[in-house]
């Protein structure tokens, strides 16, 4: 089935075999240990996995579980995992290179080896959430941080970045313009880029970011849910979250769940890449209320994972976002209320669109025995739910 908004991945293989590139990012070895190391951070604890039985009954599926990343690190979004862990990896790696021994996350956080770690200035381009994450990571380890923001990023998100001690540089352009300016200034000043998107010659840090995101999948699939999901709807910007979720489930589940990648219509770079069979630009200008998903091109390092392991790609309309946010905030029956931002509810918006289309519902194999995993990737983050 291929429609203007839903398309199957003709390259998806079952059973799948790991290739070297996939294993490097989503190999489950080391993720439980990473979860243990994070316990040293006073702000960290596993986020809840909520069950929504009333909504599942309404939509005609067996179970719906929502991993609520709005509570991550007291930060409000899943991005906290990526930025903090990528900064930690850079610093522990530098200490390891200098002294030929690997320091712990906790020792670096406590300021040991400052003669090595104190030299780093971290920088990133962001639409908001990733920048806050990198700023939080730099602050945790006591390093200077500079974040480049595109013109559409809200004043509230800028304030949240500054509140974490980072300097902010506004760029007169979109996200891609901010990335270019960040790269230029980092090269000129010797700063270390912590990016969640890759480019030629730069992929080790984005891989660290994605391994950080694997923590939330490990919590949900291994520690919190008694049964593995049969379906996962996951939103995608450049692809880091989707690659971590789909890839980690592929690695740890005995029967890999059906995975559906969800994007805004105007930022459909994954949908178009699937149709083309290679990384391709979005068909629109990425002008969307879903700021965290406002990307016109994918991160190349994620293509070997998502391009092989995702089963379906779909888009959602702008007018489908608010109903999904409201359904999370004002749930059916006794379902728990969940505070979500425009990007955070995209997976639910995708599920709702599929469940109101009989042909799509059947094509995806949904039904009363389905166990659906959603990721609430962000809270309201300065974009409160309208009252009417």
């Amino acid at each position: 089935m291929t429609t203007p908004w839903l398309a199957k991945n003709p390259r998806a293989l079952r059973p799948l075999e790991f290739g070297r590139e996939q294993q490097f990012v989503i190999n489950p070895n080391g993720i439980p240990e990473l979860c243990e190391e994070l316990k040293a951070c006073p702000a960290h604890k596993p986020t809840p996995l909520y069950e929504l039985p009333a909504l599942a009954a309404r939509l005609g599926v067996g179970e719906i579980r929502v991993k609520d990343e709005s509570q991550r690190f007291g930060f409000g979004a899943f991005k906290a995992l990526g930025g903090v862990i990528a900064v930690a990896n850079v610093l522990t790696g530098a200490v390891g290179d200098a002294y030929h021994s690997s320091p712990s996350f906790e020792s670096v956080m406590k300021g040991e080896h400052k003669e090595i770690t104190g030299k780093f200035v971290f920088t990133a381009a962001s639409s908001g959430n990733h920048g806050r994450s990198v700023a939080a990571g730099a602050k945790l380890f006591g390093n200077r941080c500079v974040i480049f923001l595109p013109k559409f990023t809200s004043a509230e998100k800028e304030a949240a970045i500054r509140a974490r001690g980072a300097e902010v540089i506004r760029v007169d352009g979109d996200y891609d313009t901010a990335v270019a300016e960040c790269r230029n200034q980092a090269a000129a000043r010797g700063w270390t880029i912590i990016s969640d998107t890759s480019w030629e010659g730069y992929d080790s840090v984005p891989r660290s970011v994605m391994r950080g995101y694997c923590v939330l999948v490990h919590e949900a699939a291994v520690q919190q849910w008694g049964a593995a999901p049969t379906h996962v709807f996951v939103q995608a910007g450049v692809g880091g979250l989707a690659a971590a979720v789909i890839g980690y489930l592929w690695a740890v589940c005995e029967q890999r769940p059906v995975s559906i990648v969800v994007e805004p219509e105007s930022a459909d770079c994954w949908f178009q890449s699937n149709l083309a069979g290679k990384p391709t630009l979005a068909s629109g200008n990425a002008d969307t209320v879903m700021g965290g998903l406002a990307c016109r091109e994918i991160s190349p390092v994620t293509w070997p994972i998502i391009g092989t392991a995702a089963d379906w790609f779909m888009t959602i309309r702008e007018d489908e976002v608010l109903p999904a946010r409201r359904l999370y905030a004002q749930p059916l029956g006794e379902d728990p209320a969940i505070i979500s931002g425009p990007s955070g509810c995209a997976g639910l918006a995708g599920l709702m669109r599929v469940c109101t289309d009989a042909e799509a519902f059947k094509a995806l194999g949904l039904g009363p025995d389905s166990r659906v995993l959603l990721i609430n990737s962000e809270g309201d983050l300065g974009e409160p739910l309208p009252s009417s």
Side-chain angles (χ1 to χ4, degrees):
M1 176 183 178
T2 299
T3 74
W5 59 273
L6 178 66
K8 194 170 186 177
N9 181 2
R11 294 165 302 282
L13 303 175
R14 288 178 180 273
L16 290 169
E17 295 181 2
F18 280 120
R20 180 178 176 276
E21 291 180 89
Q22 292 94 334
Q23 282 186 324
F24 193 83
V25 176
I26 59 171
N27 188 333
N29 294 334
I31 300 300
E33 291 78 8
L34 180 56
C35 292
E36 285 298 310
E37 285 207 337
L38 282 171
K39 291 179 180 179
C41 179
H44 182 263
K45 63 179 180 179
T47 55
L49 180 71
Y50 291 124
E51 185 174 4
L52 277 59
L55 180 59
R58 172 72 62 87
L59 296 181
V61 298
E63 292 184 46
I64 295 175
R65 302 282 181 114
V66 182
K67 184 64 168 165
D68 186 12
E69 290 299 297
S70 72
Q71 301 184 46
R72 180 67 65 180
F73 276 116
F75 176 91
F78 79 100
K79 293 274 189 177
L81 285 168
V84 169
I85 289 170
V87 167
N89 284 349
V90 169
L91 296 178
T92 56
V95 174
D97 290 343
Y99 298 131
H100 308 292
S101 62
S102 297
S104 68
F105 180 104
E106 185 175 11
S107 69
V108 177
M109 185 182 68
K110 288 182 175 179
E112 297 179 24
H113 313 297
K114 206 65 179 176
E115 71 281 4
I116 301 296
T117 63
K119 302 172 185 178
F120 284 85
V121 176
F122 293 104
T123 186
S126 172
S127 60
N129 292 347
H130 179 66
R132 289 197 310 139
S133 171
V134 176
K139 183 178 181 179
L140 182 65
F141 296 102
N143 292 83
R144 183 185 171 203
C145 182
V146 182
I147 302 297
F148 293 81
L149 297 180
K151 64 181 180 181
F152 66 78
T153 299
S154 68
E156 291 83 2
K157 287 187 175 180
E158 177 178 342
I161 291 170
R162 292 186 183 277
R164 286 162 174 81
E167 303 160 40
V168 172
I169 296 176
R170 281 279 185 171
V171 176
D172 186 18
D174 60 11
Y175 171 77
D176 296 323
T177 307
V179 170
E181 183 62 18
C182 176
R183 291 177 63 180
N184 289 338
Q185 293 213 28
R189 299 171 185 269
W191 295 343
T192 299
I193 299 175
I194 302 293
S195 177
D196 56 356
T197 190
S198 61
W199 51 82
E200 186 175 353
Y202 179 86
D203 63 9
S204 63
V205 171
R207 290 181 189 276
S208 291
V209 169
M210 284 189 284
R211 280 189 67 79
Y213 300 159
C214 288
V215 168
L216 72 91
V217 200
H218 178 80
E219 290 174 357
V222 177
Q223 298 177 333
Q224 296 172 319
W225 200 344
T230 63
H231 295 74
V232 55
F233 286 74
V234 59
Q235 50 270 56
V238 297
L241 174 64
V245 171
I246 295 170
Y248 198 76
L249 291 174
W250 161 14
V252 303
C253 293
E254 186 173 336
Q255 183 170 353
R256 183 169 68 86
V258 176
S259 55
I260 304 96
V261 173
V262 183
E263 298 176 287
E265 283 183 333
S266 66
D268 61 344
C269 47
W270 279 104
F271 191 90
Q272 297 301 327
S273 296
N274 176 55
L275 296 180
K278 61 181 180 180
T280 302
L281 291 176
S283 63
N285 61 2
D287 183 14
T288 171
V289 69
M290 294 167 274
L293 309 180
C295 306
R296 295 197 65 241
E297 57 184 309
I298 72 172
S299 174
V301 75
T302 63
W303 173 253
I305 303 168
I306 300 174
T308 303
D311 296 290
W312 295 85
F313 295 84
M314 68 174 294
T315 60
I316 52 175
R317 302 186 304 267
E318 295 297 301
D319 63 5
E320 292 172 316
V321 175
L322 187 55
R325 287 187 74 191
R326 284 193 169 136
L327 189 53
Y328 268 150
Q330 302 161 11
L332 302 175
E334 299 299 316
D335 288 357
I338 297 172
I339 304 303
S340 176
S343 299
C345 69
L348 175 59
L351 174 63
M352 291 167 64
R353 186 169 199 181
V354 167
C355 289
T356 54
D357 184 298
E359 186 179 359
F361 189 86
K362 181 179 179 181
L364 268 59
L366 288 164
D369 295 325
S370 300
R371 300 182 298 275
V372 180
L373 175 63
L374 304 174
I375 313 292
N376 178 31
S377 57
E378 64 173 27
D380 62 39
L381 300 177
E383 297 159 301
L385 185 67
S387 58
S388 61

